[in-house]
Amino acid sequence: MNVFGVDIGGSGIKGAPVDLGLGDLAQPRHKVLTPQPSTPSDVADCVAEVVTHFGWSGPIGVTFPGVVTGSTIRTAANVDKAWIGVDAAALIGGRLGGLPVTVLNDADAAGVAEMTHGAGRGRRGTVILLTFGTGIGSAVFTDGRLLPNTELGHLELHGKEAEKQASTKVKEDKDLGWQEWAHRVRKYLAHLEMLFSPELFIVGGGVSRKAEKFLPLIDDVRAEIVPAQLQNNAGIVGAAMAAAR
């Protein structure tokens, strides 16, 4: 069974049909740049562009980089603040001629995909998935059960939001080398470990493709740290899984 998944990010919007049995993309994903400003109307148009690229006409799952309750957006740290209070499913579904749309937090979607088909499969105890990109998303699981909308990238770390110190965007903006950036990530993981005592950290987002460049540089963290197996496709897969449910 295939269901369509779309992952809205601060810099890009990507999607593809997903083979739910395999937990992987059924076709190569299509990506467009996130419009600037990233207003609800303009982003909805881009989502529609991604979906119509495949001629899709069934259920669609969509991730959003912020807190989502029901299908209403509650926070928008890395996209336009006009999103707050918007019924995203109604907006996007309207752009797509009334197709059924399910909306959820982006990191939660990636986490569900990784716990089902990836690095967290079969793992018990507390598992924290972190997506490093424009910001830092988080998904927290206890014995496989998700605590939704944790948004741990906004925790204060040394007087600043964690994602303002250790996101991939910060690495690029400040032209940080792998050693310096890994040091920042280590401090963030150590802070999360102090708060939650997880057995496992799963590191996701686009940077997970280069895990060998920075994960060996992170020490003094007791929890196991592994890269996301689905890498930057985890959000698309998790979105499709949510739509199927």
Side-chain angles (χ1 to χ4, degrees):
M1 178 182 176
N2 290 355
V3 177
F4 204 91
V6 178
D7 190 12
I8 297 174
S11 59
I13 299 169
K14 53 191 181 290
V18 173
D19 183 324
L20 295 178
L22 295 176
D24 202 357
L25 306 190
Q27 298 180 49
R29 71 190 191 189
H30 180 64
K31 181 177 180 179
V32 299
L33 294 178
T34 302
Q36 301 299 328
S38 47
T39 62
S41 180
D42 288 346
V43 169
D45 286 343
C46 288
V47 172
E49 179 183 342
V50 170
V51 174
T52 56
H53 173 82
F54 294 88
W56 185 261
S57 60
I60 299 163
V62 178
T63 77
F64 185 83
V67 172
V68 183
T69 56
S71 60
T72 300
I73 306 305
R74 301 300 183 191
T75 67
N78 294 303
V79 289
D80 197 282
K81 297 296 187 287
W83 274 101
I84 297 173
V86 169
D87 183 333
L91 173 65
I92 295 169
R95 288 293 200 282
L96 293 166
L99 293 179
V101 174
T102 302
V103 182
L104 71 162
N105 173 268
D106 57 348
D108 286 351
V112 168
E114 283 292 331
M115 294 298 288
T116 306
H117 298 289
R121 182 168 46 193
R123 296 297 296 256
R124 308 293 290 175
T126 300
V127 177
I128 299 178
L129 172 129
L130 300 166
T131 57
F132 290 84
T134 306
I136 299 176
S138 63
V140 178
F141 297 84
T142 301
D143 292 335
R145 299 186 64 179
L146 171 68
L147 176 64
N149 291 313
T150 49
E151 293 287 282
L152 299 181
H154 301 301
L155 285 174
E156 184 177 312
L157 183 64
H158 304 304
K160 293 183 179 179
E161 274 188 301
E163 68 176 27
K164 296 294 192 293
Q165 300 185 62
S167 67
T168 306
K169 184 177 187 300
V170 168
K171 180 185 185 303
E172 294 169 351
D173 289 350
K174 294 183 177 294
D175 195 25
L176 301 176
W178 289 108
Q179 181 77 49
E180 187 175 359
W181 185 68
H183 178 65
R184 291 176 176 227
V185 173
R186 182 198 66 77
K187 289 194 290 185
Y188 176 52
L189 296 184
H191 187 58
L192 291 179
E193 186 168 66
M194 180 270 293
L195 293 172
F196 297 101
S197 300
E199 280 74 30
L200 176 67
F201 284 114
I202 302 173
V203 176
V207 75
S208 60
R209 294 192 300 268
K210 301 176 180 178
E212 75 284 353
K213 293 184 178 294
F214 67 94
L215 287 189
L217 304 175
I218 298 174
D219 55 11
D220 294 332
V221 176
R222 291 188 299 276
E224 184 181 359
I225 309 170
V226 299
Q229 289 182 10
L230 302 178
Q231 297 182 349
N232 213 21
N233 290 333
I236 297 175
V237 173
M241 291 172 64
R245 288 197 300 270

